[in-house]
Amino acid sequence: MEQPVTVGRAIRSLGAEPGAAEAPAVADLAELVGEPLTARVTLDERGRVTGWNTGAERLLGYSARQMTGRRAADLLAEPIPVRGGLPTLAGLPRWNGDVALRHHDGRKLTVRVLAHHRAPGTGAGAWLLLSALTRRQSRPALDDSLVTWSFAQSPCCALALYDTRLRLRRANEGMEQTMALTEEEMLGLRVSEIVDDEAGERAERSMARVLRTGEPQYEENYLRTPGETSEHAWSVFMSALRDAEGTIRGVCLAAHDMTEQFWARKRLQLIAEAGRRIGSTLDVTRTAQELTDVTVPALADFVSVDLLAALDDTAEPPAQALPADGPLLLRRVALRSVTPGAPEAVVAPGQVDSYPEGSAPYESLRAGRPTLHAVTDTSFTEWLAHDPERAARIRAFGIHSVMTVPLVARGTTLGVAFFVRYRDPDAFRHDDLVLAGELVARAAVSIDNARSYTRERATAVTLQRSLLPQRLPRQAAVEVASRYLPAGGHAGVGGDWFDVIPLSGARVALVVGDVVGHGLHASATMGRLRTAVRTLADIDLPPDELLTHLDDLVARLSVEEEGGETSADVGTSADVGATCLYAMYDPVSRRCCLAGAGHPMPAVVSPEGNVELIELPAAPPLGVGSLPYEATEAVLPEGSLLVLYTNGLIEDRGRAGDLDAGVHRLLEALALPQALRFARTGGTPVAPSLDALCDTVLADLLPQRPADDVALLVARTRALDESQVATWAVPDDPSAVAQTRKDVVAQLERWGLSDAAFVTELVVSELVTNAIRHAQPPIQLRLIHDATLICEVSDGGNTAPHLRRARTYDEGGRGLLLVAQMTGRWGTRQSASGKTIWAEQTLSLQ
């Protein structure tokens, strides 16, 4: 070993100032370790020399130019002495022994050689042959001191001492067992030459830092050395060995096997990762897939999750997981493999497979606990004897170890999880079985929660869809299209609704609402409010009055939810609340009257494509009852689009409160020329499809799985031509009835409705006569001809007529009954100046 002055020079050559770069330059490291002190030769698979360093030239006298491309066997002075004959080198990861070689000058040399077989594709020679030139020198007397210092300062199981050239000088028994090499066989070699792995190179760089700085270095490695049957985790500690004067004389490398601690830490990390990732959604399939994603490849090479096929047809899992007779049927819901495409899987996702009594999953469910199998176990081979396809896959992929773990949540069995190893050579152990049981138990609870949510959501969706209009009614005022999308996230089905309600006088009401909350309760509340709106609309209340009545209803529902308390301090409950927008459109006047209760403002698109919001007076949601509701009127040209929607369309859950951005995106989607303009076919204007517009808006504004319910209602306005409406002012004189009948008959002839003259005369005569006798002027008669024939008589009175049955000798009281029987429907509506009585005939029945 070199003198201290040489050590100091070597350390200085590393450029070693405290705090300098961590890794020395390659040239400096080569100078430190003395590259020529090891003969290094690389061979290809055919045994021809591809690399020959200076050390090899010093050992045998041949230059690199002379040896490159030659057969290494030409250097043998005699066959390699190995028990049982020559080894099959191609099948060995490493070989070491004494070799008799012929020097260039003809001398015979016996050389100790360590040969590493490198895997294909590494970019290096197939074989790396090493021999330390320094082993031929006598050991320095300092070796004894190194041994004394090392065992005094580093009490570890695997111990090795290196000189200032980072060449091994001593190794204890633990190191010999770990490396499967004797001290004599490792003598003079570098750690990177003993361990032909990146871990050896990292350790060597750390040892160089020890020489340079004198500070201890620590590393953790996970690798398999030739002396080990499986991969181990190593805690490697490297420290400087100093003499009495403090001069660094060498490096001590101590390695401690910490495999158990390493795996315990990995298991804890895996459990933590599972807690973070499994159950992130309330979807059964995705939750099962999350279990497989977490455990492959961290625990197994292949994992599948199979649920009882009986769960397909029942709301609740069966009381007994195992069938009374016959095989166990399991449906695969998720799988993952380290091999792309999972070719080792016999069952594809969604398929059902049967498992007979005696099979691994059957017996695992029977025992009610995880089971561990080697494929060579008797029970396993007996099962595979009756399943040739599965047996063939096991042989093809080299599957050697299997775990089956029941999925049990809250005492109920849901299915089985399979864990398989074939790429990892280590078989599953008991600790792996315990870990798998813990992970599957967590996943089972999440899967059970997802099943419960899915069941409740399906019920809520069914209820909500049954309460929404199944088919929009036919009416003359508007052309309509609608969309309803239930929430796709954790929130569940909400209480969004829409409706189209025909009104008297060819008018129509458009309604969109949103109940606070989600689930069955919200759906049921939505149904109650929708029924209430229809009832209030049937008596022709204006929008602001209708919302006032609806507000009172929601407040009463809130009190009911709180147990029926009516004290003043109860107020309204957050459990019941809603927003609503009610619009009433008249195709005769083209006026639209709107009122809102805390709802997003509607959008209107003119026939020219201009898009704007209809500003509504600020109003609280239903159930608050603090401010009055006010109505707004707007004149809509024929062909205008009125767009009503719920906040799920414009609300971005990722940017809470940013509704303005959502409204802006909606207006942009509505402004698309191809969605709004009238096309022309043969010179005739053709309106674009409203269904296509709805699809365009939803595609532009919504993700695949909206976080909230979405209701969208789009109406294209129509207008009745002046020729379709006839109006007369009727004098307040009974003699005017006859002239009115004549005017009506003449108008019906102009419309080509002579067949309807008899009924219409009767209706006009009765309604006008009643107005003259019982009401106040002014009196007006109006006929509206569209898909139906509507007769309206307006007066200045506020008393509404009542249908009653006349007695035998009564002289009156039968007229309104006749009107009701001879027309399709009739009714009355109040106005600011009086009332209107109307009757509607279905022309197709005349």
Side-chain angles (χ1 to χ4, degrees):
M1 184 176 292
E2 291 80 355
Q3 297 301 315
V5 64
T6 307
V7 174
R9 186 181 303 112
I11 294 176
R12 286 193 300 274
S13 71
L14 291 174
E17 293 294 334
E22 283 294 305
V26 176
D28 293 337
L29 181 60
E31 180 182 350
L32 171 65
V33 300
E35 196 70 29
L37 297 181
T38 299
R40 298 172 63 93
V41 178
T42 57
L43 309 178
D44 61 17
E45 288 291 357
R46 296 180 300 169
R48 296 188 179 277
V49 176
T50 58
W52 186 273
N53 77 336
T54 305
E57 183 176 354
R58 290 174 56 185
L59 178 65
L60 297 177
Y62 294 95
S63 67
R65 178 177 297 180
Q66 291 174 309
M67 289 305 302
T68 300
R70 291 184 56 182
R71 295 173 63 251
D74 295 342
L75 297 176
L76 294 176
E78 59 186 45
I80 302 174
V82 179
R83 295 179 185 176
L86 289 174
T88 305
L89 296 182
L92 293 178
R94 191 182 70 184
W95 181 87
N96 64 283
D98 292 335
V99 180
L101 301 176
R102 187 70 62 186
H103 193 274
H104 184 266
D105 59 9
R107 289 182 292 118
K108 176 182 175 182
L109 298 176
T110 299
V111 179
R112 178 61 55 87
V113 174
L114 175 61
H116 296 286
H117 193 185
R118 292 175 167 174
T122 59
W127 284 91
L128 171 63
L129 309 182
L130 304 163
S131 181
L133 273 63
T134 56
R135 66 177 291 106
R136 306 174 62 82
Q137 303 171 4
S138 61
R139 294 185 178 181
L142 184 60
D143 282 0
D144 294 336
S145 299
L146 285 175
V147 171
T148 302
W149 298 331
S150 66
F151 284 97
Q153 301 176 29
S154 301
C156 294
C157 60
L159 202 63
L161 305 180
Y162 293 82
D163 60 21
T164 53
R165 290 286 188 178
L166 301 185
R167 304 285 172 167
L168 186 137
R169 289 305 179 189
R170 296 299 301 268
N172 70 350
E173 184 178 349
M175 184 63 74
E176 290 178 326
Q177 292 175 352
T178 299
M179 294 293 108
L181 293 169
T182 65
E183 180 187 72
E184 185 70 18
E185 291 166 338
M186 294 185 286
L187 188 65
L189 293 176
R190 298 155 52 186
V191 65
S192 61
E193 297 169 342
I194 298 170
V195 179
D196 187 31
D197 185 90
E198 184 184 356
E201 297 174 358
R202 289 199 308 268
E204 191 168 76
R205 289 194 294 268
S206 295
M207 293 166 68
R209 286 195 292 272
V210 172
L211 290 180
R212 175 168 52 85
T213 66
E215 297 178 356
Q217 301 293 319
Y218 176 79
E219 287 187 2
E220 290 185 5
N221 296 320
Y222 188 69
L223 72 157
R224 183 199 306 270
T225 62
E228 299 173 344
T229 58
S230 61
E231 290 184 326
H232 280 234
W234 294 97
S235 173
V236 183
F237 188 84
M238 291 151 285
S239 59
L241 298 178
R242 304 173 187 271
D243 60 15
E245 288 75 29
T247 302
I248 296 177
R249 297 288 187 162
V251 178
C252 174
L253 184 149
H256 177 71
D257 188 345
M258 51 173 289
T259 305
E260 291 301 322
Q261 298 92 321
F262 173 83
W263 276 113
R265 187 172 61 192
K266 293 290 286 185
R267 291 186 183 99
L268 289 175
Q269 291 174 347
L270 190 57
I271 291 174
E273 180 74 1
R276 185 179 65 84
R277 294 177 57 184
I278 297 176
S280 62
T281 66
L282 287 172
D283 180 87
V284 173
T285 301
R286 186 167 178 181
T287 301
Q289 189 63 50
E290 288 167 347
L291 171 62
T292 65
D293 293 343
V294 167
T295 52
V296 175
L299 180 60
D301 298 324
F302 172 86
V303 176
S304 69
V305 178
D306 296 14
L307 299 184
L308 298 176
L311 296 177
D312 295 345
D313 304 319
T314 59
E316 295 296 335
Q320 297 294 331
L322 294 176
D325 55 1
L328 171 67
L329 298 180
L330 297 174
R331 181 180 298 279
R332 181 148 296 174
V333 294
L335 61 80
R336 187 174 179 85
S337 171
V338 293
T339 305
E344 69 272 40
V346 178
V347 184
Q351 291 184 344
V352 175
D353 199 12
S354 63
Y355 297 88
E357 185 175 359
S359 62
Y362 196 105
E363 296 306 315
S364 181
L365 290 185
R366 172 181 285 175
R369 56 180 173 78
T371 57
L372 175 59
H373 305 274
V375 296
T376 55
D377 292 347
T378 303
S379 60
F380 211 83
T381 55
E382 290 177 353
W383 169 37
L384 296 179
H386 299 87
D387 194 338
E389 183 180 2
R390 185 171 273 107
R393 298 290 178 90
I394 288 176
R395 289 192 299 270
F397 288 91
I399 295 172
H400 59 83
S401 190
V402 177
M403 294 189 297
T404 55
V405 185
L407 284 116
V408 181
R410 303 175 179 94
T412 302
T413 301
L414 303 175
V416 177
F418 291 84
F419 296 81
V420 174
R421 277 186 181 173
Y422 59 89
R423 181 175 294 180
D424 188 338
D426 296 334
F428 288 122
R429 301 183 302 173
H430 177 72
D431 289 346
D432 298 317
L433 194 65
V434 173
L435 176 60
E438 172 71 17
L439 297 176
V440 171
R442 289 171 177 259
V445 173
S446 297
I447 290 174
D448 191 49
N449 290 339
R451 288 188 66 257
S452 299
Y453 164 77
T454 301
R455 187 166 60 249
E456 179 181 342
R457 183 177 184 276
T459 303
V461 168
T462 302
L463 173 61
Q464 187 169 33
R465 290 195 182 278
S466 68
L467 295 173
L468 290 172
Q470 303 303 306
R471 184 174 55 188
L472 297 178
R474 295 182 60 184
Q475 37 70 45
V478 292
E479 175 193 355
V480 292
S482 63
R483 292 293 185 272
Y484 168 73
L485 297 178
H490 289 279
V493 178
D496 292 20
W497 91 91
F498 63 91
D499 212 344
V500 178
I501 308 171
L503 302 176
S504 63
R507 298 169 304 141
V508 67
L510 306 173
V511 191
V512 170
D514 184 0
V515 174
V516 174
H518 296 87
L520 289 172
H521 180 268
S523 296
T525 303
M526 177 272 288
R528 300 171 75 173
L529 295 184
R530 178 171 178 262
T531 302
V533 170
R534 279 188 160 267
T535 302
L536 295 171
D538 193 51
I539 60 176
D540 260 316
L541 288 179
D544 51 346
E545 291 187 28
L546 184 143
L547 291 183
T548 300
H549 285 284
L550 203 60
D551 178 67
D552 293 338
L553 172 61
V554 173
R556 288 197 299 271
L557 291 177
S558 299
V559 173
E560 291 177 9
E561 291 294 326
E562 294 181 348
E565 298 180 25
T566 57
S567 59
D569 59 343
V570 170
T572 58
S573 169
D575 291 336
V576 179
T579 65
C580 184
L581 178 64
Y582 186 89
M584 182 186 297
Y585 174 70
D586 185 350
V588 176
S589 65
R590 302 192 306 279
R591 290 185 176 276
C592 183
C593 185
L594 310 96
H599 202 82
M601 290 181 290
V604 63
V605 186
S606 69
E608 294 76 26
N610 299 320
V611 186
E612 60 182 354
L613 295 176
I614 298 179
E615 296 288 341
L616 299 179
L622 298 172
V624 176
S626 59
L627 294 173
Y629 297 102
E630 299 180 40
T632 296
E633 275 199 356
V635 177
L636 303 180
E638 182 177 11
S640 299
L641 296 182
L642 185 62
V643 182
L644 286 67
Y645 52 91
T646 56
N647 63 356
L649 182 66
I650 59 173
E651 190 173 44
D652 187 345
R653 293 300 175 95
R655 295 178 293 178
D658 192 7
L659 294 180
D660 291 342
V663 171
H664 181 70
R665 292 196 301 272
L666 171 62
L667 298 183
E668 286 184 337
L670 293 174
L672 293 175
Q674 61 269 28
L676 304 175
R677 299 284 197 272
F678 279 83
R680 289 189 174 272
T681 304
T684 303
V686 178
S689 166
L690 293 184
D691 286 317
L693 176 59
C694 288
D695 293 337
T696 298
V697 170
L698 295 182
D700 287 353
L701 270 69
L702 294 180
Q704 272 192 324
R705 297 168 61 88
D708 195 4
D709 283 16
V710 175
L712 173 64
L713 183 62
V714 179
R716 177 182 284 120
T717 62
R718 294 169 176 165
L720 294 181
D721 190 75
E722 292 181 357
S723 62
Q724 295 177 267
V725 181
T727 306
W728 297 271
V730 180
D732 187 16
D733 186 345
S735 63
V737 175
Q739 182 59 43
T740 302
R741 286 200 301 266
K742 292 179 182 179
D743 294 339
V744 167
V745 170
Q747 183 63 50
L748 293 179
E749 290 178 352
R750 286 192 291 272
W751 283 343
L753 301 177
S754 298
D755 292 343
F758 174 76
V759 174
T760 306
E761 273 191 278
L762 186 150
V763 170
V764 169
S765 179
E766 177 61 29
L767 297 183
V768 170
T769 299
N770 284 344
I772 294 173
R773 287 181 178 178
H774 306 294
Q776 300 175 6
I779 301 172
Q780 178 181 279
L781 169 65
R782 184 170 73 163
L783 293 182
I784 301 174
H785 172 216
D786 193 54
T788 62
L789 180 61
I790 302 170
C791 176
E792 296 182 341
V793 176
S794 305
D795 59 58
N798 293 318
T799 304
H802 296 282
L803 188 66
R804 65 183 180 88
R805 186 178 297 275
R807 290 172 294 188
T808 304
Y809 299 105
D810 286 349
E811 295 183 359
R814 296 178 178 85
L816 200 56
L817 180 61
L818 289 175
V819 171
Q821 291 179 339
M822 301 191 71
T823 59
R825 61 191 189 116
W826 75 279
T828 181
R829 65 176 182 267
Q830 299 291 330
S831 65
S833 58
K835 67 177 182 295
T836 299
I837 303 173
W838 57 270
E840 185 174 323
Q841 300 176 61
T842 305
L843 297 177
S844 59
L845 298 179
Q846 300 298 322

